[in-house]
Amino acid sequence: MKKFTKEHEWVLLEGTVATIGITAHAAHELGDITYVELPSSGAQINAGEVLTVIESVKAASDVYSPVSGIVEAANQELEGNPQLVNESPEEEGWVCKLKGVDASELDDLMDEKEYRDYVELL
Amino acid sequence: MPYVANTEQDVKEMLQVIGCKNLDELWIKAEVKGPYPQFKYMPQAKSEFEVIKHIRELAKKNKTELVNFVGAGYYDHFIPAVVSEVTSRSEFYTAYTPYQPEASQGTLQAIYEYQSAICRLLGMSVSNASLYDGGTAVFEAMMLGCRVTKKRRAVISGAVSPIFREMLRCYSSNLSVELVEVPNTEVESSISSLLDAINDKTACVIVQYPNFFGVVEDWTDFVQEVHKKGAIAICSTYPTSLAMIKTPGEMGFDVVTAEGQCLGIPLSFGGPYLGIMACNDKCMRKMPGRICGQTVDKDGKIGYVLTIQAREQHIRRQDAMSNICSNENLCALTALVYMTVIGKEGLRQIAKLCSSKATYLRNLLLGIKGIEPVGDLPFFNEFVIKLPCDASEIVQKLIDRGFAVGFPLGRYYPTRRDQMLICVTEKRTKEEMKALANNMEAILWN
């Protein structure tokens, strides 16, 4: 199940593990990404809290966590190659995985079509 | 618009708007803890000529020709004339920070070279373009430690400058940062107590090297222990000394700060001075202040720009790494010109002269009846002695004889009124040191 937030994060839930990243729209708006601060494993994150910071040549943006959970892994590829977020924002450019996620937290988020419609209106 | 702060009429109107009868009533409503500010005794207006005369008379009270043996963080080193000759060129002479690379290549290149020189001297990998002074640099380093570890507790050695510690207390009084000060023993930092004070909430540990009492301590093992406990190791240092002793970078410190006054900036009450800050790669993205970087233009030619700016307040607003820092560009330029003129070998010679002259004076003073050493540890160019009387009395008497003899420790350490911190730089001659010893002996025993 893949859902989207108004702050342009995506979350893919498999079992109780959620993979989180920023959407293609967000990556395009940020421009060339130069640095992704990776969250440390084991950190407890609550929905709505700042998960990480992504810096591009023109801005630095907070990435909010759409769900609550414990950081299981961060995408270490991004340390040497932050551009991966521009190249493949919704697949290889994922930011981190949270474990122990409650599926009901995704109920209020947008599905793919709703998100595309939302972006159209911006 | 008249450049006169609130006229009587202004004050009256403002009080009317907020509904207070007079200023005293405002102080009460604003919960100002008395005594209330008084504006009644402002002197009458004077002409420009009268003001200049008055200020000159005040200035005459300063003793500016004393033979100086005071250090305690601010040092009387020789400044070659060429330093101000270069820095006062109109192309350079502005404290304003350049944002536009297309208009400021000279200044940006100077900042880049300053950063490179600082990195080499401190043994670190990244330096910023400078901060206000050594004390604010320590504060910014503490906050950097908090950001990197996401913790809010800082452990500070009692052998860090009491002036800097006072600044830390002031700056953090309204922040949610817990300051834990670990007392030192005499002239030595309490390494084991510092380590014991680190718990799982501790963001960073701050020490000074050489410490406030001039003692040189090897922190290598300490830094490893700090890292094992998950904290950031911060060191405040004295740049001149690093020409002859192990660098903080070699000892593994994560963040190094310093007062850069010793690098060509004249001693002056209130500054302007120079805040030096450098860190390792791990902390780079969390470092406050401007950083200048080297790049190439579209034709492949080398150029200089401000870089990693996403940390700064014009981009990150309230989430910037610091909202209260700027850089001290003219002083940073001065330090660069000084380091360039003096050179690597020159700085080594200065450091050696400071250190050997300090040893000479210490031996001379310890030969005087009643003067005792405090601790017997390796020192750079400062040492503490114990007198058979109140040190501040000796300071006053020696001023009358033409010497600024040292820093009476009782000023910041109430139980150490009989102790004095004495410093020797390359400027002091054998004759001056002998004269100081003779005068000291005469005051003590005649």
Side-chain angles (χ1 to χ4, degrees), chain A residues 34-35 37 53 55 58-60 62, chain B residues 150 285-286 308 310-311 315-316 319:
Chain A
T34 53
Y35 178 66
E37 183 188 292
V53 182
E55 287 179 16
K58 60 181 178 185
D62 290 332
Chain B
K150 299 198 172 90
R285 301 260 168 194
K286 303 283 183 191
I308 333 184
R311 303 164 296 111
I315 294 182
R316 291 215 70 189
D319 293 325

Side-chain angles (χ1 to χ4, degrees), chain B residues 129-413:
Chain B
S130 76
L131 295 166
Y132 293 123
D133 64 12
T136 55
V138 173
F139 167 76
E140 290 289 359
M142 176 178 81
M143 297 313 290
L144 168 59
C146 291
R147 285 193 295 275
V148 171
T149 55
K150 299 198 172 90
K151 294 171 186 172
R152 310 287 288 179
R153 185 173 183 273
V155 172
I156 299 130
S157 164
V160 169
S161 162
I163 301 163
F164 290 2
R165 283 186 285 122
E166 180 68 41
M167 290 170 79
L168 282 184
R169 287 193 286 265
C170 171
Y171 268 58
S172 49
S173 57
N174 291 314
L175 297 173
S176 59
V177 177
E178 186 193 350
L179 285 184
V180 182
E181 297 191 41
V182 177
N184 56 294
T185 42
E186 291 240 290
V187 296
E188 202 177 350
S189 310
S190 303
I191 292 185
S192 60
S193 309
L194 281 167
L195 288 174
D196 289 344
I198 304 173
N199 62 21
D200 56 3
K201 293 196 176 79
T202 305
C204 56
V205 184
I206 305 167
V207 301
Q208 185 169 320
Y209 167 82
N211 75 25
F212 182 67
F213 310 101
V215 173
V216 178
E217 293 156 311
D218 191 344
W219 294 98
T220 312
D221 297 340
F222 172 82
V223 171
Q224 282 181 9
E225 291 302 314
V226 171
H227 287 158
K228 274 186 206 155
K229 289 170 178 263
I232 294 287
I234 298 168
C235 169
S236 170
T237 189
Y238 173 12
T240 308
S241 72
L242 302 182
M244 71 179 283
I245 58 177
K246 203 168 173 179
T247 65
E250 282 174 89
M251 293 190 279
F253 281 100
D254 301 284
V255 188
V256 182
T257 65
E259 172 51 68
Q261 175 274 327
C262 58
L263 301 172
I265 297 158
L267 284 166
S268 164
F269 183 66
Y273 282 169
L274 172 67
I276 291 173
M277 174 178 256
C279 68
N280 57 17
D281 293 345
K282 180 176 144 193
C283 298
M284 176 178 75
R285 301 260 168 194
K286 303 283 183 191
M287 181 156 70
R290 302 196 166 81
I291 299 176
C292 183
Q294 191 187 67
T295 184
V296 285
D297 69 6
K298 68 182 170 64
D299 300 323
K301 284 190 292 189
I302 286 175
Y304 300 89
V305 290
L306 293 180
T307 189
I308 333 184
Q309 287 189 76
R311 303 164 296 111
E312 295 192 63
Q313 59 183 341
H314 61 287
I315 294 182
R316 291 215 70 189
R317 307 280 164 179
Q318 75 276 13
D319 293 325
M321 297 304 120
S322 172
N323 292 98
I324 54 165
C325 79
S326 180
N327 80 327
E328 193 77 85
N329 210 33
L330 197 54
C331 291
L333 175 72
T334 306
L336 169 66
V337 177
Y338 174 86
M339 286 186 278
T340 311
V341 169
I342 298 287
K344 194 171 172 179
E345 201 42 52
L347 207 56
R348 270 198 198 121
Q349 282 172 11
I350 289 170
K352 273 184 197 160
L353 280 171
C354 289
S355 146
S356 55
K357 287 184 177 190
T359 307
Y360 175 80
L361 180 64
R362 185 172 182 265
N363 290 337
L364 214 54
L365 296 179
L366 293 183
I368 299 171
K369 196 175 88 181
I371 297 184
E372 286 169 37
V374 180
D376 197 14
L377 295 161
F379 62 96
F380 174 56
N381 69 337
E382 272 176 291
F383 54 88
V384 178
I385 55 166
K386 198 171 164 200
L387 297 155
C389 59
D390 192 322
S392 53
E393 277 172 32
I394 302 287
V395 169
Q396 193 52 51
K397 284 177 181 161
L398 277 165
I399 286 174
D400 299 336
R401 291 171 181 240
F403 298 92
V405 61
F407 185 86
L409 287 181
R411 219 165 143 179
Y412 286 95
Y413 302 84

